[in-house]
Amino acid sequence: MPDNFQKKTLFVTTGAEAVENAVKIARAATGRSAVIAFSGGFHGRTFMGMALTGKVVPYKIGFGAMAGDVFHVPFPVELHGVSVDQSLAALKKLFAADVDPQRVAAIILEPVQGEGGFYPAPVAFMKALRELCDQHGILLIADEVQTGFARTGRMFAMDHHEVAADLTTMAKSLAGGFPLAAVTGRSEVMDAPGPGGLGGTYGGNPLGIAAAHAVLDVIADEDLCSRANQLGGRLKQRLESLREKVPETADIRGPGFMNAVEFNDRTTGLPSADFANKVRLTALDKGLILLTIQDEVFGEALDILETSMLEASTGK
Ligand SMILES: Cc1ncc(COP(=O)(O)O)c(C=O)c1O
């Protein structure tokens, strides 16, 4: 884990459970209850995970009242008109209008928003959050459930930042798809909950731990951080080469292999889910589903994606 302070880990079964526990640990360690999260963020489908998630459709709609003492601030995405300064100003406004920072246990964010659209948190933003947390005794939680384990070209997405989180949640690639998740944090923070306060029947089950060991060996042996950078580089290069031919292309971004291409409507200039869907359906029709991939298949995938973007854009 980034930074070399003393750490301890709690093993659980799903990403959402890791998030729930990170919040419980932060509450126990600080004696405070409020939590701040960001618009567009995704933290799982359990009650606290859902409350922290900054997206109503499809995650919250129809599920009634959310867990209390959760506040959302706009996530900085320059492309959509929210600068780092504006996001920090919103946070300060929240402290002035809604919640005393001395009541805030944690600020939680994904270092690269996953379900929200692959938006990386700017380095200056993470640094400013760290400073604010230190100033007010708030814990910083990095939700690395989606960004963890080589996907961004580094072992953790927080490795791209100058500062470290106090608590980190992880799951997904940790055990290569086998249900294992974890919260790792500062030892003294992790020790705050009382005996029996954290746990679960399947937490740290031997099969999950064995799978995680195997995954970590493969990541090291096959240098998968480099591979993520290499594949991501190829993907971004191909998408860049299509910018002029596909004028709907609004943005190409993302560290390592956690990449996104964003589309706007050609006439309105506004984000176009319709166009993205058209590309996706055309690609699906041509037999492209994006999962783990061999080099030749990835080459074929890029060709299909290119044709699909061109067909969607030209209507031919
Ligand atoms: C950032 C993030 N947090 C939490 C979760 C929830 O993980 P799980 O689906 O394992 O409960 C996800 C799942 O996609 C995620 O991307």
Side-chain angles (χ1 to χ4, degrees):
M1 295 295 310
D3 220 330
N4 52 10
F5 49 77
Q6 279 286 314
K7 299 172 187 107
K8 285 192 179 177
T9 292
L10 164 76
F11 285 109
V12 287
T13 319
T14 67
E17 202 186 351
V19 168
E20 297 281 329
N21 280 283
V23 171
K24 282 171 67 177
I25 294 163
R27 283 183 166 185
T30 58
R32 308 171 177 185
S33 63
V35 186
I36 296 171
F38 292 89
S39 55
F42 179 71
H43 299 289
R45 293 178 174 86
T46 50
F47 264 94
M48 183 49 88
M50 176 170 67
L52 292 169
T53 292
K55 220 171 169 185
V56 171
V57 180
Y59 305 115
K60 295 176 166 183
I61 194 154
F63 297 123
M66 295 292 127
D69 238 1
V70 171
F71 301 87
H72 287 93
V73 168
F75 189 76
V77 180
E78 283 278 359
L79 184 69
H80 297 302
V82 183
S83 67
V84 167
D85 285 348
Q86 283 169 324
S87 186
L88 291 171
L91 195 48
K92 285 184 184 147
K93 208 175 212 172
L94 182 79
F95 288 158
D98 284 314
V99 59
D100 175 3
Q102 298 301 318
R103 258 197 358 87
V104 178
I107 296 179
I108 183 167
L109 80 163
E110 302 156 83
V112 181
Q113 283 198 338
E115 300 306 289
F118 285 22
Y119 294 109
V123 169
F125 185 64
M126 195 65 84
K127 201 166 158 214
L129 286 184
R130 180 71 268 175
E131 281 163 14
L132 265 182
C133 284
D134 290 342
Q135 184 187 346
H136 298 294
I138 298 168
L139 296 173
L140 186 63
I141 305 176
D143 184 346
E144 294 244 25
V145 166
Q146 188 156 155
T147 50
F149 301 96
R151 193 169 182 191
T152 67
R154 307 288 294 270
M155 199 60 174
F156 292 97
M158 285 304 285
D159 286 319
H160 295 279
H161 290 277
E162 295 164 12
V163 293
D166 301 294
L167 290 161
T168 300
T169 54
M170 60 199 104
K172 293 195 192 292
S173 315
L174 166 61
F178 195 87
L180 182 75
V183 185
T184 296
R186 291 182 180 280
S187 292
E188 67 276 16
V189 170
M190 295 296 293
D191 283 339
L198 307 176
T201 306
Y202 306 113
N205 67 86
L207 201 50
I209 299 296
H213 275 297
V215 164
L216 293 174
D217 288 346
V218 169
I219 290 175
D221 294 349
E222 298 182 14
D223 192 9
L224 292 189
C225 286
S226 300
R227 181 154 172 81
N229 284 321
Q230 188 197 334
L231 292 177
R234 271 176 76 192
L235 175 57
K236 281 188 278 191
Q237 203 174 22
R238 179 72 72 100
L239 291 169
E240 285 294 350
S241 76
L242 290 169
R243 253 189 205 274
E244 278 181 22
K245 285 186 243 168
V246 183
E248 286 84 357
T249 304
D251 194 33
I252 296 159
R253 60 172 175 270
F257 204 21
M258 195 159 174
N259 310 132
V261 54
E262 188 166 320
F263 299 117
N264 280 349
D265 183 278
R266 207 188 303 183
T267 41
T268 64
L270 295 172
S272 175
D274 282 348
F275 186 82
N277 216 22
K278 206 162 141 191
V279 173
R280 193 180 63 80
L281 290 175
T282 310
L284 188 64
D285 208 37
K286 294 178 190 300
L288 172 62
I289 302 172
L290 295 163
L291 282 172
T292 52
I293 209 154
Q294 297 92 352
D295 276 342
E296 319 79 71
V297 184
F298 184 53
E300 194 184 331
L302 289 178
D303 292 341
I304 296 177
L305 185 61
E306 173 170 333
T307 323
S308 306
M309 283 169 64
L310 290 170
E311 276 184 26
S313 184
T314 59
K316 283 186 247 159

